[in-house]
Amino acid sequence: MWVTPQEAMDQWADAPDDLTVLASYLQAAYEQCVAFLPAGTWPVDGVTTIPERWKLAQIMQARALYRSGLAGDGNQIGVDGLQVTVFPMDWTVKNLLRPRRVGRVL
């Protein structure tokens, strides 16, 4: 994993209190993030520094997975009338893992 449970708790205020449960979500998120990276990106021999955006993506994906367990059948979380839709991997996480390359405009 790129992120430890303690690192995740520092950035995720409502993270599960049980470190084993949190580690499970982080591991699942890690696996999904690695699968989404462009082919040949990870693992790379000799890499010692993980990009911060990958770490953030792992935490955001773990949070999305955790919330999806709370969302129920409607894929929404929250009280009636104030619900938020939860997606397995939203565009923000995808952009952290595969940033769009924007060409220079003259």
Side-chain angles (χ1 to χ4, degrees), residues 44-49:
V44 177
D45 292 336
V47 172
T48 57
T49 304

Side-chain angles (χ1 to χ4, degrees), residues 21-100:
V21 171
L22 179 55
S24 178
Y25 281 103
L26 287 169
Q27 181 62 37
Y30 168 79
E31 291 169 9
Q32 289 180 321
C33 288
V34 168
F36 191 77
L37 286 172
T41 304
W42 185 260
V44 177
D45 292 336
V47 172
T48 57
T49 304
I50 305 301
E52 286 301 315
R53 62 188 171 84
W54 290 8
K55 294 177 183 182
L56 184 57
Q58 182 184 357
I59 293 169
M60 292 174 69
Q61 183 62 13
R63 183 172 47 217
L65 291 172
Y66 177 69
R67 288 182 177 166
S68 71
L70 303 174
D73 294 339
N75 199 31
Q76 294 181 333
I77 186 170
V79 261
D80 290 335
L82 300 172
Q83 296 180 336
V84 176
T85 303
V86 181
F87 299 100
M89 185 176 274
D90 73 4
W91 65 273
T92 306
V93 175
K94 290 179 179 181
N95 283 338
L96 288 168
L97 297 169
R98 289 185 183 181
R100 293 180 353 167

Side-chain angles (χ1 to χ4, degrees), residues 10-24:
D10 291 343
Q11 295 185 39
W12 176 8
D14 60 343
D17 293 330
D18 185 330
L19 292 180
T20 303
V21 171
L22 179 55
S24 178

